[in-house]
Amino acid sequence: MTYFIVRRAAGFLLTLFVVSIIVFTVMNVLPGDPALTILGIDATEDARAALRERLGLNDPVVLRYLRWAIAALQGDFGVSYSFGVPVAELVGERLPLTFALAIAGTIVTIATALFLGISAAARHGRSGDWAIMLFSQMGIAIPAFWLSMLLVLLFAVKLQWLPPGGFPGWDDPMAALRALVLPTVALALVQAAVLARVTRSAALEVMRQDFVRTAQATGFSPRRVLWGHVLPNALVPIVTIVGLQFASLVTGTIVIENVFYLPGLGRLLFQSIGNRDLITVQALVMLFSVFVVTANFIVDIAYVLIDPRLREGRA
Amino acid sequence: MIDLTDIHVDGPAGPLLRKTSLSLAAGERVGIVGESGSGKTLLALSMMGMVSDQLTVGGAISVEGRDMTNAVEADWRHLRARRLSMVFQEPMSALNPLRRVGDTVAAPLIRHQGYTREQARARALSLFEETGITDPERRLSQYPHQLSGGQRQRVLIALALACDPALLIADEPTSALDAEVALRITDLLVRLSRERNMALLFISHDLAAVSRTTERIIVMYGGDIMETGPTRAIMQAPHHPYTKGLLAARPKLWAPILSTHGKRRLPTIPGSVPPPQDLPRGCRFAGRCPVEMAHCATERPALIHTATGTAACHRQTADGAGGQS
């Protein structure tokens, strides 16, 4: 068990290292002169050359990578070319919002999908099953940005229950939560639709197994059998998909934050790309990668927590 | 303690279990013998109220004097939690792989009998001891994959005993086990039945295992009862041609076996069990029976009394002695 976790942790760190090299390389072969971005097109060539020298852009690429990586490990991502403030500061202001959105989206996705998937499996082949699967088929087919607009039209414009967009800050937690409801639903619904199908088929697979009949034969109610025996045994495929979906959720925040005018990392990334603010883009891409790799590390640990058979394995 | 009257199960393609009546007294050990598809598991499941809801069950059933004919699922659940238990064929897959076996056995005690966790654990330990699980203390916290097939089957028996059942149904409990382990499990079932005065319904395709275990045998074929009688009588003097075929098909160590070709061969019942919708309307065994008569395929023979039990064969009425094969 410990050995397994140590191995997975080593793999986790190695993945991050490789990702950092890829992100750095891609960002540095892209065309675009940071000096031009910072000084504008009216600056003299001499001034730009001096700035490039000061930023260390003329140093060998390995040295630049190491300088960036070591600084990043200490939380220093350099100074934004376009905003003129440290990238860490820009990120720090926006991280809580995106993080809250991604976590809330994941929780809503899992809760909705498990409920719908297990309910559908319990009604296998009957009308409830069909209704849930039809609903999930629609959820898969509808693009998130369009769903966002529909949600805004209904709940913000027509019913006026929730704000249409923007974010009031964390000072008023109720207002902050209200601002996050529609973005969370828009973000989670598509993922929940996909995960509900996975849950349903995983649960049906488990329901065919003998231990389910054993549990029934010892007098347990269908509900207890479903949630106590079927669901835990269906979790391995479910958790795998959740790990993959987390990447979609994180990238989904980029679209959703733009639709709902939320000042999060996704919106910052969008602005930075528009501004050719490569150093900020580089930091953000790295940060999103860290989220996804971490999520997958957690999924790997979750496997062994779920299934004792994987604990002593060589896996 | 359990009485079934004219129980029958119908599937979408026709009857799967024909009208069958059966009673078990407290502490009685009865065997059901038959090939796969003979309806023996269906009969057992109907005694547990666990027949799939895609099938329709008819007939009357009462358990310990309580009429369960029109019982709802909750009533059956109540009985399964307290009076009826079932052990299934596959010990490999019949235990939840994610749960420690001690927790699996403790769960119904906590849920149905109001035990605390500690009480349930102590009871599970004593059930493990009673069912002959080696090193029971350590086993409690092990997972199914860490146990051998025989140990797992013992855990399942311990689980079945947890509710102090009046009837234990064992559906092919030894078929997936090594011969020696299988012997120990059948002996364990007999001992538990005696010590607890618990009725045992032992279901198997293996006549030898059933004859070791039971006092009375029911032979089934194609969803119908062929013959019933005391175990000893059935084994020594079967009346029904199907039972005779089954007995002849047992491997024997003590006699050379001669087929019609003069080679040493194991006799078999010719043909194979047809799918349920192709079974003959009369005697289910028609078409494979060596002593078949003209009306066998169209008229269902009634179960009539023989010298020792009952048999459903037109030969019984025709010549009074069963098929002379």
Side-chain angles (χ1 to χ4, degrees):
Chain A
M1 180 77 181
T2 321
Y3 173 71
F4 174 85
I5 291 176
V6 168
R7 268 187 60 142
R8 283 297 146 117
F12 168 69
L13 294 175
L14 186 69
T15 311
L16 284 185
F17 174 64
V18 172
V19 164
S20 74
I21 288 178
I22 294 171
V23 168
F24 185 84
T25 310
V26 169
M27 289 302 154
N28 281 276
V29 297
L30 284 179
D33 180 359
L36 197 65
T37 312
I38 296 168
L39 296 175
I41 45 168
D42 296 332
T44 62
E45 178 54 38
D46 283 351
R48 281 188 264 146
L51 183 62
R52 276 202 293 273
E53 185 62 36
R54 197 159 56 79
L55 291 172
L57 294 174
N58 297 331
D59 293 335
V61 67
V62 175
L63 187 64
R64 278 159 56 206
Y65 168 75
L66 287 175
R67 201 186 286 146
W68 171 72
I70 290 167
L73 282 176
Q74 294 163 341
D76 175 10
F77 293 93
V79 176
S80 160
Y81 297 155
S82 59
F83 291 93
V85 292
V87 174
E89 210 170 280
L90 289 173
V91 169
E93 285 165 6
R94 290 160 174 81
L95 182 63
L97 177 59
T98 301
F99 200 68
L101 197 55
I103 295 298
T106 309
I107 292 171
V108 172
T109 299
I110 294 174
T112 314
L114 291 191
F115 178 74
L116 290 181
I118 295 286
S119 305
R123 292 162 181 75
H124 183 214
R126 297 202 295 268
S127 53
D129 185 19
W130 286 99
I132 291 170
M133 284 303 102
L134 188 71
F135 172 76
S136 103
Q137 192 66 58
M138 272 162 49
I140 293 170
I142 294 173
F145 69 89
W146 190 64
L147 176 69
S148 309
M149 292 190 265
L150 289 184
L151 288 173
V152 169
L153 276 176
L154 178 61
F155 292 103
V157 179
K158 186 132 180 87
L159 298 171
Q160 306 210 332
W161 289 352
L162 295 161
F167 190 67
W170 294 101
D171 298 334
D172 180 357
M174 254 335 273
L177 276 181
R178 279 166 54 87
L180 284 180
V181 170
L182 288 183
T184 303
V185 170
L187 192 59
L189 211 68
V190 179
Q191 306 297 338
V194 175
L195 191 62
R197 299 198 145 237
V198 173
T199 304
R200 173 180 174 270
S201 60
L204 287 176
E205 190 69 34
V206 174
M207 281 160 72
R208 274 197 283 275
Q209 296 194 33
D210 290 344
F211 61 81
V212 172
R213 202 168 53 163
T214 305
Q216 285 163 351
T218 38
F220 285 100
S221 65
R223 202 168 49 88
R224 281 187 179 270
V225 173
L226 273 178
W227 297 97
H229 291 273
V230 175
L231 179 61
N233 278 281
L235 274 183
V236 165
I238 293 171
V239 163
T240 306
I241 302 298
V242 169
L244 295 172
Q245 284 189 315
F246 190 74
S248 312
L249 271 166
V250 167
T251 48
T253 59
I254 299 171
V255 175
I256 295 295
E257 284 177 12
N258 277 293
V259 173
F260 287 96
Y261 293 100
L262 297 174
L265 293 180
R267 210 165 148 67
L268 178 63
L269 181 65
F270 201 72
Q271 291 166 338
S272 304
I273 292 171
N275 293 336
R276 293 191 160 273
D277 192 346
L278 285 188
I279 196 161
T280 308
V281 173
Q282 186 170 309
L284 286 173
V285 172
M286 191 61 214
L287 199 60
F288 281 131
S289 309
V290 171
F291 286 166
V292 172
V293 176
T294 307
N296 283 297
F297 176 61
I298 293 171
V299 164
D300 278 342
I301 301 297
Y303 284 151
V304 287
L305 292 181
I306 293 168
D307 195 335
R309 286 168 296 186
L310 300 173
R311 272 173 220 165
E312 56 237 44
R314 320 101 295 193
Chain B
M1 48 97 22
I2 187 162
D3 295 286
L4 289 80
T5 314
D6 289 342
I7 281 288
H8 54 103
V9 180
D10 296 319
L16 296 171
L17 181 67
R18 282 176 160 186
K19 282 186 180 175
T20 299
S21 299
L22 168 67
S23 292
L24 264 78
E28 193 184 14
R29 297 191 305 281
V30 175
I32 299 182
V33 184
E35 296 164 69
S36 39
S38 63
K40 54 195 199 301
T41 299
L42 214 45
L43 182 59
L45 288 175
S46 64
M47 296 166 87
M48 296 285 287
M50 280 176 63
V51 176
S52 154
D53 49 14
Q54 267 125 35
L55 308 176
T56 49
V57 185
I61 180 165
S62 81
V63 180
E64 296 189 309
R66 189 166 17 160
D67 183 22
M68 298 296 287
T69 308
N70 298 308
V72 293
E73 168 63 18
D75 299 330
W76 278 112
R77 212 151 62 221
H78 186 88
L79 274 186
R80 291 201 290 266
R82 285 159 189 89
R83 304 308 289 161
L84 306 174
S85 269
M86 192 156 174
V87 174
F88 297 99
Q89 177 172 4
E90 279 295 334
M92 296 299 168
S93 52
L95 286 165
N96 185 339
L98 308 187
R99 287 207 183 175
R100 298 173 196 277
V101 293
D103 293 340
T104 295
V105 175
L109 293 167
I110 295 169
R111 177 73 196 139
H112 305 313
Q113 326 236 348
Y115 280 55
T116 64
R117 291 193 73 82
E118 292 70 39
Q119 287 168 332
R121 195 187 149 84
R123 178 94 173 94
L125 181 62
S126 80
L127 285 167
F128 275 21
E129 283 161 356
E130 188 180 354
T131 48
I133 291 169
T134 54
D135 203 355
E137 183 86 45
R138 193 165 62 91
R139 297 277 181 228
L140 283 176
S141 52
Q142 286 190 322
Y143 289 96
H145 72 276
Q146 295 169 314
L147 270 55
S148 69
Q151 293 290 320
R152 280 186 238 196
Q153 197 58 287
R154 285 172 197 270
V155 169
L156 282 161
I157 294 171
L159 173 64
L161 294 179
C163 69
D164 271 322
L167 168 66
L168 176 69
I169 300 172
D171 186 5
E172 302 266 9
T174 56
S175 303
L177 302 174
D178 294 341
E180 198 197 332
V181 179
L183 274 182
R184 295 212 194 112
I185 294 289
T186 48
D187 290 349
L188 170 68
L189 288 171
V190 173
R191 176 170 65 81
L192 290 169
S193 163
R194 287 212 178 103
E195 286 173 0
R196 292 167 161 263
N197 192 32
M198 171 181 76
L200 176 69
L201 187 68
F202 190 98
I203 300 172
S204 180
H205 63 271
D206 179 3
L207 255 179
V210 174
S211 69
R212 279 179 65 87
T213 324
T214 59
E215 303 154 332
R216 193 152 66 85
I217 288 184
I218 295 162
V219 181
M220 292 188 71
Y221 178 86
D224 208 353
I225 290 181
M226 298 286 110
E227 182 168 5
T228 69
T231 302
R232 185 182 294 257
I234 295 255
M235 298 300 286
Q236 284 169 359
H239 289 86
H240 198 284
Y242 176 65
T243 320
K244 289 176 184 170
L246 273 187
L247 279 167
R250 284 181 309 158
K252 298 177 192 71
L253 292 174
W254 39 266
I257 301 148
L258 296 170
S259 82
T260 48
H261 304 293
K263 291 181 192 150
R264 287 169 64 118
R265 262 201 187 164
L266 194 61
T268 54
I269 300 173
S272 57
V273 190
Q277 65 273 18
D278 297 342
L279 281 168
R281 281 186 298 117
C283 174
R284 294 302 205 187
F285 194 47
R288 297 179 72 190
C289 181
V291 293
E292 191 173 334
M293 296 183 295
H295 60 292
C296 281
T298 50
E299 282 173 38
R300 183 184 176 192
L303 264 181
I304 56 162
H305 286 280
T306 62
T308 47
T310 59
C313 180
H314 289 307
R315 287 273 176 195
Q316 288 294 316
T317 36
D319 50 40
Q324 299 299 318
S325 52

